[in-house]
Amino acid sequence: MEAWLTGTRAELDAAVAALADLGHVIQQGQRWPMGGVDVGRYRLYLRLAVATAAGRHRPALDTGTDAGGELIDLTAARALRRPA
């Protein structure tokens, strides 16, 4: 799986941590600062190896088409990482 992430340093840290819980990070690019109205935000390339479960049901996207994408709830993923 490959993804370009865009956000603040804290948002990127949280997103990478949540995505790393789903698979193995193969490649993580450098954070590239954005300009203009996006000053303070960065772009980051991430490549992960994600295991798939055969026969796993995947709900359709809200757009009515399922092009293989899946919504990840980062808030819920972060909650799972917090020690009790």
Side-chain angles (χ1 to χ4, degrees):
M1 174 179 129
E2 298 177 60
W4 277 100
L5 306 175
T6 304
T8 65
R9 288 183 181 275
E11 290 169 337
L12 292 176
D13 289 343
V16 169
L19 291 168
D21 283 348
L22 299 174
H24 174 71
V25 176
I26 296 172
Q27 179 182 357
Q28 182 173 335
Q30 293 182 340
R31 294 177 186 205
W32 292 96
M34 300 178 74
V37 297
D38 288 318
V39 168
R41 293 168 46 93
Y42 300 83
R43 276 181 46 197
L44 174 69
Y45 174 78
L46 192 66
R47 183 181 290 172
L48 299 129
V50 180
T52 59
R56 184 178 143 228
H57 174 70
R58 201 170 18 139
L61 300 173
D62 290 340
T63 61
T65 62
D66 186 357
E70 188 169 331
L71 180 63
I72 299 171
D73 183 346
L74 293 178
T75 302
R78 280 192 297 271
L80 293 174
R81 291 180 53 86
R82 291 190 183 121

